[in-house]
Amino acid sequence: MAKQSTIRTPIVCVMGHVDHGKTSLLDRIRGSSVVSTEEGAITQHIGATLVPIDAITRMGGALSKVSVNVPGLLFIDTPGHHAFTTLRARGGALADMAIVVVDINEGFRPQTIEALQILRNYKTPFVIAANKIDRIHGWRVQESQPFGKTFAQQNERVQGMLETKVYELVGKLSDLGFNSERFDRVSDFARNICIVPTSALTGEGLPDILMVLIGLAQRYMTENLKVSTDGPGAGTVLEVKEERGLGMTLDVILYDGILKVGDEIVVAGNDQIIETKVRSLLKPRPMKEILIEERFERVKSVTAAAGIKVAAPKLDAVIAGSPLQVIRGGNRDEVIERVRHEVQDIQVNLSDIGVIIRADTIGALEALSKELEGHQIQVMRATVGPVTRHDVIEAGTIKDPLYSAIVAFNTPVLPDAVDTLADVAMSHVSIFEGGVIYQLLDDYIEWREEKKQELERQQFEKLVMPAKIRILPNCIFRQSNPAVVGVRVLGGKLQSGVDLTLPNGRKVGRLKQIQAKNETVQEAEAGKEVAISIEGPTVGRQINVDDDLYVDVPERHVKVIEREMLDHLSPSLREILEEFAALRRREDPFWGK
Ligand SMILES: Nc1nc2c(ncn2[C@@H]2O[C@H](COP(=O)(O)OP(=O)(O)OP(=O)(O)O)[C@@H](O)[C@H]2O)c(=O)[nH]1
């Protein structure tokens, strides 16, 4: 029999900054019609909500004339990027599309940007919900209406205000490299991100956001959404939960094929692969039957895409985010291998030298590493779980001090790791912790910049800087042992403890001390007149009034300065360095090269 294929319901995740309205938007989408039993009504799945295409077209949003064969939209009930990155399918993101909710009055916030970066990395299509339009001063609410209708009812001032705010979002998106436009002015979804003004509170614009998602799926994803309706089921574990009377259960989002009672399945535990057999499949009971004691309704089978609760033996060790695959026919070994591969095969490019990263899930680890990669920050090791003492020690031995860091996303630092960090030998190691990737990255980059400057400063301090001085007339304070003479610094920076030389290369002696106005100083800038003591020469023999002397910068130092510090030198230092090097290169063209 030929394999049947059909277009499955696309899976949608809602993301955005705290309090911008993710939960409210999902609640509003689920709406009151969850209780309705009529054909084509919105139905509650395990961990997800199915909005069928009929329900969407009935709402009458823009684009409702588009012919559609996408059966509807399956919304993951847990909003936020953590859910998005945890839920993986075949190494990528489980969600086919996303809504990024932005409070139109507040604009972009760190987690908005983070959501966009994650979506870009996963190449996931998305739409922007410019939410809370009802908060715009003077807004006249048109309950549940499509945007076009409600916009037409607003006065000119309010319309203008909304336009300004939408354009602010367009500008911000453009800074991040995305072209965008208000959805009703977008003709090509591939080129422009749609911005849909919405209110999760009043339902305004909601019909449009659903329609735009359908449009996106219809035009750009139908190939990806083809599934076999009779093939072996494949899904992702959303949650592992103990249920009264059922024991340990898995909340699963099935994205391909069919899952039946009695199926042999493979899932992943922390460090093991688990094979078991589906005892029962459970759906939430419709709300109106809430009085019936049992909360779940048993079904014989489910077809993708769907959210379903799976009861089976041996589920205690299963991890959230694990793949779930059905064994069918003789493919047991292949399925086990595939699950193992998906869990272990973290898509992170590792380098010999780099930061150590930690996260609570594989998906989060991947998201973090992709962000680091995008900023040319190398990763040496990437593992799931809390930060350990071993991590700190490893970070402490990295040769490049700019990588002596651990970046921990959504995962704790164990007490013995904190103790180890307090050790003086580890004082150069830093740990960056937090729940916002974008913030973590900023913190690390800031630390790295500071460290880089500090290292440069240290290196700079150790280097002998070039200077040129002239011995002044009437300022010979002592002939020799040491010679003490007045000089003018013609250029560069004169420091004590350096060797001096004549332009012809003859050595003069060591500069011991610099005095300015009878005070000992460590250095003197170009233009200054100071007294210096020189160990070695006698005035009138090796040196004379009006002689020009150079600081004898060691060849090794010239090399470092020319190669790495030229940009940091003042024009005067540069000039004298060039002069001095040119004198030396008259004898040996490769001197200091
Ligand atoms: N006026 C108005 N208020 C809204 C709208 N959407 C959300 N709110 C309010 O904004 C607050 C935060 O909304 P939530 O839906 O909890 O936001 P969230 O993004 O899910 O927040 P977290 O779950 O904390 O990340 C709540 O008080 C909502 O009632 C809207 O469109 N208009």
Coordinates of all heavy atoms in Angstrom, one line a residue, residues 488-572:
R488 N 66.1 68.3 27.3 CA 64.7 68.5 26.8 C 64.2 67.2 26.1 O 65.0 66.6 25.4 CB 64.6 69.6 25.9 CG 63.2 69.7 25.3 CD 62.9 70.9 24.3 NE 63.3 72.1 25.0 CZ 64.1 73.0 24.5 NH1 64.8 72.8 23.3 NH2 64.4 74.1 25.1
V489 N 63.0 66.7 26.5 CA 62.5 65.6 25.8 C 62.0 66.0 24.4 O 61.0 66.8 24.4 CB 61.4 64.9 26.6 CG1 60.9 63.6 25.9 CG2 61.9 64.6 28.0
L490 N 62.6 65.7 23.4 CA 62.2 66.1 22.0 C 61.0 65.4 21.5 O 60.2 65.9 20.7 CB 63.4 66.0 21.0 CG 64.6 66.8 21.4 CD1 65.7 66.5 20.4 CD2 64.4 68.3 21.4
G491 N 60.9 64.1 21.9 CA 59.7 63.3 21.5 C 59.7 62.0 22.2 O 60.6 61.6 22.9
G492 N 58.6 61.4 22.1 CA 58.4 60.1 22.8 C 58.1 60.3 24.3 O 57.6 61.3 24.7
K493 N 58.5 59.2 25.0 CA 58.2 59.3 26.5 C 59.5 58.8 27.2 O 59.9 57.6 27.0 CB 57.0 58.4 26.8 CG 56.6 58.6 28.3 CD 55.8 57.4 28.7 CE 54.3 57.5 28.3 NZ 53.5 56.3 28.8
L494 N 60.1 59.6 28.0 CA 61.3 59.3 28.7 C 61.0 58.6 30.0 O 60.2 59.1 30.8 CB 62.2 60.5 28.9 CG 63.6 60.2 29.5 CD1 64.5 59.5 28.4 CD2 64.3 61.5 29.9
Q495 N 61.6 57.4 30.2 CA 61.3 56.7 31.5 C 62.7 56.4 32.2 O 63.7 56.3 31.5 CB 60.6 55.4 31.2 CG 59.2 55.6 30.7 CD 58.6 54.3 30.1 OE1 59.3 53.7 29.2 NE2 57.4 53.9 30.5
S496 N 62.7 56.3 33.5 CA 63.9 55.9 34.2 C 64.2 54.4 34.0 O 63.3 53.7 33.7 CB 63.9 56.3 35.6 OG 62.7 55.7 36.2
G497 N 65.5 54.1 34.2 CA 65.9 52.7 34.1 C 66.1 52.2 32.7 O 66.1 51.0 32.4
V498 N 66.3 53.1 31.7 CA 66.5 52.7 30.3 C 67.9 52.9 29.9 O 68.6 53.7 30.5 CB 65.5 53.4 29.3 CG1 64.1 53.0 29.7 CG2 65.7 54.9 29.4
D499 N 68.4 52.3 28.8 CA 69.7 52.6 28.3 C 69.6 53.7 27.2 O 68.6 53.8 26.5 CB 70.3 51.3 27.6 CG 70.6 50.3 28.7 OD1 71.0 50.7 29.8 OD2 70.5 49.1 28.4
L500 N 70.7 54.5 27.2 CA 70.6 55.6 26.2 C 71.7 55.3 25.2 O 72.8 54.7 25.4 CB 70.9 56.9 26.9 CG 69.8 57.4 27.9 CD1 70.3 58.6 28.7 CD2 68.5 57.6 27.2
T501 N 71.5 55.8 24.0 CA 72.5 55.6 22.9 C 72.5 56.9 22.0 O 71.6 57.7 22.0 CB 72.0 54.4 22.0 OG1 72.8 54.3 20.9 CG2 70.6 54.5 21.6
L502 N 73.7 57.0 21.3 CA 73.8 58.1 20.4 C 73.2 57.7 19.0 O 73.1 56.5 18.8 CB 75.3 58.5 20.2 CG 75.9 59.2 21.4 CD1 77.4 59.0 21.5 CD2 75.5 60.7 21.3
P503 N 72.9 58.7 18.2 CA 72.3 58.4 16.9 C 73.3 57.4 16.1 O 72.8 56.6 15.3 CB 72.2 59.7 16.1 CG 72.1 60.7 17.2 CD 72.9 60.2 18.4
N504 N 74.5 57.5 16.3 CA 75.4 56.6 15.5 C 75.5 55.2 16.1 O 76.2 54.3 15.6 CB 76.9 57.2 15.5 CG 77.5 57.3 16.9 OD1 76.9 56.8 17.9 ND2 78.5 58.0 17.0
G505 N 74.7 54.9 17.2 CA 74.6 53.6 17.7 C 75.5 53.3 18.9 O 75.5 52.3 19.5
R506 N 76.4 54.3 19.2 CA 77.3 54.1 20.3 C 76.6 54.2 21.6 O 75.8 55.2 21.8 CB 78.5 55.1 20.3 CG 79.7 54.6 21.1 CD 80.9 55.5 20.9 NE 81.3 55.8 19.5 CZ 81.7 57.0 19.2 NH1 81.7 58.0 20.1 NH2 82.0 57.3 17.9
K507 N 76.8 53.2 22.5 CA 76.1 53.2 23.8 C 76.6 54.3 24.7 O 77.8 54.6 24.7 CB 76.3 51.9 24.5 CG 75.6 50.7 23.7 CD 75.2 49.6 24.5 CE 74.6 48.5 23.7 NZ 73.5 48.9 22.9
V508 N 75.7 54.9 25.5 CA 76.0 56.0 26.3 C 76.1 55.6 27.8 O 77.0 55.9 28.5 CB 75.0 57.2 26.1 CG1 75.2 58.2 27.2 CG2 75.2 57.8 24.8
G509 N 75.0 54.8 28.2 CA 75.0 54.4 29.6 C 73.5 54.3 30.0 O 72.6 54.4 29.2
R510 N 73.3 54.0 31.3 CA 72.0 53.8 31.8 C 71.4 55.0 32.5 O 72.1 55.6 33.4 CB 72.0 52.6 32.8 CG 70.7 52.1 33.2 CD 70.8 50.8 33.9 NE 69.5 50.1 34.1 CZ 68.9 49.5 33.2 NH1 69.4 49.3 32.0 NH2 67.7 49.0 33.5
L511 N 70.2 55.4 32.2 CA 69.5 56.5 32.8 C 69.0 56.0 34.2 O 68.1 55.1 34.2 CB 68.4 57.0 31.9 CG 67.7 58.3 32.2 CD1 66.8 58.7 31.1 CD2 66.8 58.2 33.5
K512 N 69.5 56.6 35.2 CA 69.1 56.1 36.6 C 67.9 56.9 37.1 O 66.9 56.2 37.6 CB 70.3 56.3 37.6 CG 71.3 55.2 37.5 CD 72.4 55.4 38.4 CE 72.0 55.4 39.9 NZ 73.1 55.8 40.8
Q513 N 67.9 58.2 37.0 CA 66.9 58.9 37.7 C 66.4 60.1 36.9 O 67.3 60.7 36.1 CB 67.4 59.4 39.0 CG 66.5 59.1 40.2 CD 66.9 59.7 41.5 OE1 67.4 60.9 41.5 NE2 66.9 58.9 42.5
I514 N 65.2 60.5 37.0 CA 64.7 61.7 36.3 C 64.2 62.6 37.4 O 63.5 62.2 38.3 CB 63.5 61.4 35.4 CG1 63.9 60.3 34.4 CG2 63.1 62.7 34.6 CD1 62.7 59.8 33.5
Q515 N 64.6 63.9 37.3 CA 64.1 64.9 38.3 C 63.4 66.0 37.6 O 64.0 66.6 36.6 CB 65.2 65.4 39.2 CG 65.7 64.3 40.2 CD 66.2 65.0 41.5 OE1 66.7 66.1 41.5 NE2 66.2 64.2 42.6
A516 N 62.3 66.4 38.1 CA 61.6 67.6 37.6 C 61.3 68.5 38.8 O 60.7 68.0 39.7 CB 60.3 67.2 36.9
K517 N 61.8 69.7 38.7 CA 61.6 70.6 39.8 C 62.0 70.0 41.2 O 61.3 70.0 42.1 CB 60.1 71.1 39.9 CG 59.7 71.8 38.7 CD 58.4 72.5 38.9 CE 57.9 73.2 37.6 NZ 56.8 72.5 37.0
N518 N 63.2 69.4 41.2 CA 63.8 68.8 42.3 C 63.0 67.6 42.9 O 63.3 67.1 44.0 CB 64.0 69.8 43.5 CG 65.1 70.8 43.0 OD1 66.0 70.5 42.3 ND2 64.9 72.1 43.4
E519 N 62.1 67.1 42.2 CA 61.3 65.9 42.6 C 61.7 64.7 41.7 O 61.8 64.9 40.4 CB 59.8 66.1 42.5 CG 59.3 67.3 43.3 CD 58.7 66.8 44.7 OE1 58.6 65.5 44.8 OE2 58.5 67.6 45.5
T520 N 61.8 63.5 42.2 CA 62.1 62.4 41.4 C 60.8 62.0 40.7 O 59.7 61.9 41.3 CB 62.6 61.2 42.2 OG1 63.8 61.7 42.8 CG2 62.9 60.0 41.3
V521 N 60.8 61.8 39.4 CA 59.6 61.3 38.7 C 60.0 60.1 37.9 O 61.2 59.8 37.6 CB 59.1 62.4 37.7 CG1 58.5 63.6 38.5 CG2 60.1 62.9 36.7
Q522 N 59.0 59.3 37.5 CA 59.2 58.1 36.8 C 59.3 58.3 35.3 O 60.0 57.5 34.6 CB 58.1 57.0 37.0 CG 58.1 56.5 38.5 CD 59.5 56.1 38.9 OE1 60.2 55.3 38.2 NE2 59.9 56.5 40.1
E523 N 58.7 59.3 34.8 CA 58.7 59.5 33.3 C 58.5 61.0 33.0 O 58.1 61.8 33.8 CB 57.7 58.7 32.6 CG 56.3 58.9 33.2 CD 55.2 58.0 32.5 OE1 55.5 56.7 32.5 OE2 54.2 58.5 32.1
A524 N 58.9 61.4 31.8 CA 58.7 62.7 31.3 C 58.2 62.7 29.9 O 58.8 62.0 29.0 CB 60.0 63.5 31.4
E525 N 57.2 63.5 29.6 CA 56.6 63.5 28.2 C 57.4 64.4 27.3 O 58.2 65.2 27.8 CB 55.1 64.1 28.3 CG 54.2 63.3 29.2 CD 53.7 62.0 28.6 OE1 53.8 61.9 27.4 OE2 53.3 61.1 29.4
A526 N 57.1 64.3 26.0 CA 57.7 65.2 25.0 C 57.4 66.6 25.4 O 56.4 67.0 25.9 CB 57.1 64.9 23.6
G527 N 58.5 67.5 25.2 CA 58.4 68.9 25.5 C 58.9 69.3 26.9 O 59.2 70.5 27.1
K528 N 59.0 68.3 27.8 CA 59.4 68.6 29.2 C 60.9 68.8 29.2 O 61.7 68.2 28.5 CB 59.0 67.4 30.1 CG 57.5 67.4 30.3 CD 57.2 68.1 31.6 CE 55.8 68.6 31.8 NZ 54.7 67.7 31.4
E529 N 61.3 69.7 30.2 CA 62.8 69.8 30.5 C 63.0 69.3 31.9 O 62.3 69.7 32.8 CB 63.2 71.3 30.4 CG 63.2 71.7 28.9 CD 63.7 73.1 28.7 OE1 64.1 73.8 29.7 OE2 63.8 73.5 27.6
V530 N 63.9 68.3 32.0 CA 64.2 67.7 33.3 C 65.7 67.4 33.4 O 66.5 67.5 32.5 CB 63.5 66.3 33.3 CG1 62.0 66.4 33.4 CG2 63.9 65.4 32.1
A531 N 66.1 67.1 34.7 CA 67.5 66.7 34.9 C 67.5 65.2 35.0 O 66.6 64.6 35.6 CB 67.9 67.3 36.2
I532 N 68.6 64.6 34.4 CA 68.7 63.2 34.5 C 70.1 62.8 34.9 O 71.1 63.5 34.7 CB 68.4 62.5 33.1 CG1 69.3 62.9 32.0 CG2 66.9 62.7 32.7 CD1 69.2 62.1 30.8
S533 N 70.1 61.6 35.6 CA 71.5 61.1 36.0 C 71.7 59.9 35.1 O 70.9 59.1 34.9 CB 71.5 60.7 37.5 OG 70.5 59.8 37.8
I534 N 73.0 59.8 34.5 CA 73.3 58.7 33.6 C 74.6 58.0 34.2 O 75.6 58.7 34.4 CB 73.6 59.2 32.2 CG1 72.6 60.3 31.8 CG2 73.7 58.1 31.2 CD1 72.9 61.0 30.5
E535 N 74.5 56.7 34.4 CA 75.6 55.9 34.9 C 76.4 55.6 33.7 O 75.9 55.0 32.7 CB 75.0 54.7 35.5 CG 75.9 53.9 36.4 CD 76.2 54.7 37.7 OE1 75.2 54.7 38.6 OE2 77.3 55.2 37.9
G536 N 77.7 55.9 33.7 CA 78.6 55.5 32.6 C 79.4 56.6 31.9 O 80.6 56.6 32.1
P537 N 78.8 57.5 31.3 CA 79.6 58.5 30.5 C 80.2 59.7 31.3 O 79.7 59.9 32.4 CB 78.6 59.0 29.5 CG 77.3 59.0 30.3 CD 77.4 57.8 31.2
T538 N 81.1 60.3 30.7 CA 81.6 61.6 31.3 C 81.3 62.7 30.3 O 81.5 62.5 29.1 CB 83.2 61.5 31.4 OG1 83.4 60.4 32.3 CG2 83.7 62.7 32.1
V539 N 80.7 63.8 30.8 CA 80.4 64.9 29.9 C 81.7 65.5 29.4 O 82.6 65.7 30.1 CB 79.6 66.0 30.7 CG1 79.2 67.1 29.7 CG2 78.3 65.3 31.3
G540 N 81.7 65.8 28.1 CA 82.9 66.3 27.4 C 83.7 65.2 26.7 O 84.5 65.4 25.9
R541 N 83.4 63.9 27.1 CA 84.1 62.8 26.4 C 83.0 62.0 25.6 O 82.9 62.2 24.4 CB 84.8 61.9 27.4 CG 86.0 62.7 28.0 CD 86.5 62.0 29.2 NE 87.5 60.9 28.8 CZ 88.1 60.2 29.7 NH1 87.9 60.5 31.0 NH2 88.9 59.3 29.4
Q542 N 82.3 61.2 26.3 CA 81.3 60.4 25.5 C 80.1 61.2 25.1 O 79.5 61.0 24.0 CB 80.8 59.2 26.3 CG 81.8 58.1 26.4 CD 82.7 58.3 27.7 OE1 82.5 59.3 28.4 NE2 83.6 57.4 27.9
I543 N 79.7 62.2 25.9 CA 78.5 63.0 25.5 C 78.9 64.5 25.7 O 79.8 64.8 26.5 CB 77.3 62.7 26.4 CG1 77.6 62.7 27.9 CG2 76.7 61.4 26.0 CD1 76.4 62.6 28.9
N544 N 78.1 65.3 25.0 CA 78.4 66.8 25.0 C 77.1 67.6 25.0 O 76.1 67.0 24.6 CB 79.2 67.1 23.8 CG 80.7 67.0 24.1 OD1 81.2 67.6 25.1 ND2 81.4 66.1 23.3
V545 N 77.2 68.8 25.3 CA 76.1 69.7 25.2 C 75.6 69.7 23.8 O 76.4 69.6 22.8 CB 76.5 71.2 25.6 CG1 75.5 72.2 25.2 CG2 76.7 71.2 27.1
D546 N 74.3 69.8 23.6 CA 73.6 69.8 22.3 C 73.6 68.4 21.6 O 73.1 68.3 20.5 CB 74.2 70.8 21.3 CG 73.8 72.2 21.7 OD1 72.7 72.3 22.3 OD2 74.5 73.2 21.4
D547 N 74.1 67.4 22.3 CA 74.0 66.0 21.7 C 72.5 65.6 21.8 O 71.8 65.9 22.8 CB 74.8 65.0 22.5 CG 76.2 64.9 22.0 OD1 76.5 65.5 21.0 OD2 77.0 64.2 22.7
D548 N 72.1 64.8 20.7 CA 70.8 64.2 20.8 C 71.0 62.7 21.2 O 71.9 62.1 20.6 CB 70.1 64.2 19.5 CG 69.5 65.6 19.2 OD1 69.6 66.4 20.1 OD2 69.1 65.8 18.0
L549 N 70.2 62.2 22.2 CA 70.3 60.8 22.6 C 69.0 60.1 22.4 O 68.0 60.7 22.5 CB 70.7 60.7 24.1 CG 71.9 61.5 24.5 CD1 72.1 61.3 26.1 CD2 73.2 61.0 23.8
Y550 N 69.1 58.8 22.1 CA 67.8 58.0 22.0 C 67.8 57.0 23.1 O 68.8 56.5 23.6 CB 67.8 57.2 20.7 CG 67.5 58.1 19.5 CD1 68.5 58.6 18.7 CD2 66.2 58.3 19.1 CE1 68.3 59.3 17.6 CE2 65.9 59.1 18.0 CZ 66.9 59.6 17.2 OH 66.7 60.4 16.1
V551 N 66.6 56.7 23.5 CA 66.4 55.5 24.4 C 66.7 54.3 23.5 O 66.2 54.2 22.4 CB 65.0 55.4 25.0 CG1 64.7 54.1 25.6 CG2 64.7 56.6 25.9
D552 N 67.6 53.4 24.0 CA 67.9 52.2 23.3 C 66.9 51.1 23.5 O 67.0 50.3 24.4 CB 69.3 51.7 23.8 CG 69.9 50.7 22.8 OD1 69.3 50.4 21.8 OD2 71.0 50.2 23.2
V553 N 65.8 51.2 22.7 CA 64.7 50.2 22.8 C 65.2 48.9 22.3 O 65.6 48.8 21.2 CB 63.4 50.7 22.0 CG1 62.3 49.8 22.3 CG2 63.1 52.1 22.3
P554 N 65.1 47.8 23.2 CA 65.6 46.5 22.7 C 64.8 46.1 21.5 O 63.6 46.4 21.3 CB 65.3 45.6 23.9 CG 65.1 46.5 25.1 CD 64.6 47.8 24.5
E555 N 65.5 45.3 20.6 CA 64.9 44.9 19.4 C 63.6 44.1 19.6 O 62.6 44.3 18.9 CB 65.9 44.0 18.7 CG 65.5 43.6 17.3 CD 66.6 42.8 16.5 OE1 67.6 42.5 17.1 OE2 66.3 42.5 15.4
R556 N 63.5 43.3 20.6 CA 62.3 42.5 20.9 C 61.1 43.4 21.2 O 60.0 43.1 20.8 CB 62.7 41.6 22.1 CG 61.8 40.3 22.3 CD 62.5 39.4 23.3 NE 63.2 40.2 24.4 CZ 62.6 40.6 25.5 NH1 61.3 40.4 25.6 NH2 63.3 41.3 26.4
H557 N 61.4 44.5 21.9 CA 60.3 45.4 22.3 C 59.8 46.1 21.0 O 58.6 46.3 20.9 CB 60.8 46.4 23.3 CG 61.1 45.8 24.7 ND1 60.9 46.4 25.8 CD2 61.4 44.5 25.0 CE1 61.2 45.6 26.9 NE2 61.6 44.5 26.4
V558 N 60.7 46.5 20.2 CA 60.3 47.2 18.9 C 59.4 46.3 18.1 O 58.4 46.7 17.6 CB 61.6 47.6 18.1 CG1 61.1 48.1 16.7 CG2 62.4 48.6 18.8
K559 N 59.8 45.0 18.1 CA 58.9 44.0 17.4 C 57.5 44.0 17.9 O 56.5 44.2 17.2 CB 59.5 42.6 17.6 CG 60.0 42.0 16.3 CD 60.4 40.6 16.6 CE 61.7 40.3 15.9 NZ 62.3 39.0 16.1
V560 N 57.4 43.9 19.2 CA 56.0 43.8 19.9 C 55.3 45.1 19.6 O 54.1 45.1 19.3 CB 56.2 43.5 21.4 CG1 54.8 43.6 22.0 CG2 56.8 42.2 21.6
I561 N 56.0 46.2 19.8 CA 55.3 47.5 19.7 C 54.8 47.7 18.3 O 53.6 48.1 18.0 CB 56.2 48.7 20.1 CG1 56.6 48.6 21.6 CG2 55.5 50.0 19.9 CD1 57.7 49.6 22.0
E562 N 55.7 47.4 17.3 CA 55.3 47.6 15.9 C 54.1 46.7 15.5 O 53.3 47.0 14.7 CB 56.5 47.4 15.0 CG 57.4 48.6 15.0 CD 58.4 48.6 13.9 OE1 58.7 47.6 13.3 OE2 58.9 49.7 13.6
R563 N 54.2 45.5 16.0 CA 53.2 44.5 15.6 C 51.8 44.7 16.3 O 50.8 44.5 15.7 CB 53.7 43.1 15.9 CG 53.4 42.1 14.8 CD 54.0 40.8 15.0 NE 55.4 40.7 14.6 CZ 56.3 39.8 15.0 NH1 55.9 38.9 15.9 NH2 57.5 39.8 14.5
E564 N 51.9 45.0 17.6 CA 50.6 44.9 18.3 C 50.1 46.2 18.9 O 49.0 46.3 19.3 CB 50.8 43.9 19.4 CG 50.9 42.5 18.9 CD 51.2 41.5 19.9 OE1 50.7 41.7 21.1 OE2 51.8 40.5 19.6
M565 N 51.0 47.2 19.1 CA 50.6 48.4 19.8 C 50.6 49.7 19.1 O 50.3 50.7 19.6 CB 51.5 48.6 21.1 CG 51.9 47.3 21.7 SD 52.0 47.4 23.4 CE 50.6 46.5 24.0
L566 N 50.9 49.6 17.8 CA 51.1 50.8 17.0 C 49.9 51.7 17.1 O 50.0 53.0 17.3 CB 51.4 50.4 15.6 CG 52.5 51.2 14.9 CD1 53.7 51.3 15.8 CD2 52.9 50.5 13.6
D567 N 48.7 51.1 17.1 CA 47.5 51.9 17.2 C 47.3 52.6 18.5 O 46.6 53.6 18.6 CB 46.2 51.0 17.0 CG 46.2 50.5 15.6 OD1 46.9 51.0 14.8 OD2 45.5 49.5 15.4
H568 N 48.0 52.1 19.5 CA 47.8 52.7 20.9 C 48.9 53.8 21.1 O 48.8 54.5 22.2 CB 48.0 51.7 22.0 CG 46.9 50.6 21.8 ND1 45.7 50.7 22.3 CD2 47.0 49.4 21.3 CE1 45.0 49.6 22.1 NE2 45.8 48.8 21.4
L569 N 49.8 54.0 20.3 CA 50.9 55.0 20.5 C 50.5 56.4 20.1 O 49.7 56.6 19.2 CB 52.1 54.6 19.7 CG 52.8 53.3 20.0 CD1 54.1 53.2 19.2 CD2 53.1 53.2 21.5
S570 N 51.0 57.4 20.9 CA 50.7 58.8 20.5 C 51.5 59.1 19.3 O 52.5 58.4 19.0 CB 51.1 59.7 21.7 OG 52.5 59.6 21.8
P571 N 51.1 60.1 18.5 CA 51.9 60.5 17.3 C 53.4 60.7 17.6 O 54.2 60.3 16.8 CB 51.2 61.7 16.8 CG 49.9 61.7 17.5 CD 50.0 61.0 18.7
S572 N 53.7 61.3 18.8 CA 55.0 61.6 19.1 C 55.8 60.3 19.3 O 57.0 60.2 18.9 CB 55.1 62.5 20.3 OG 56.3 62.5 20.9

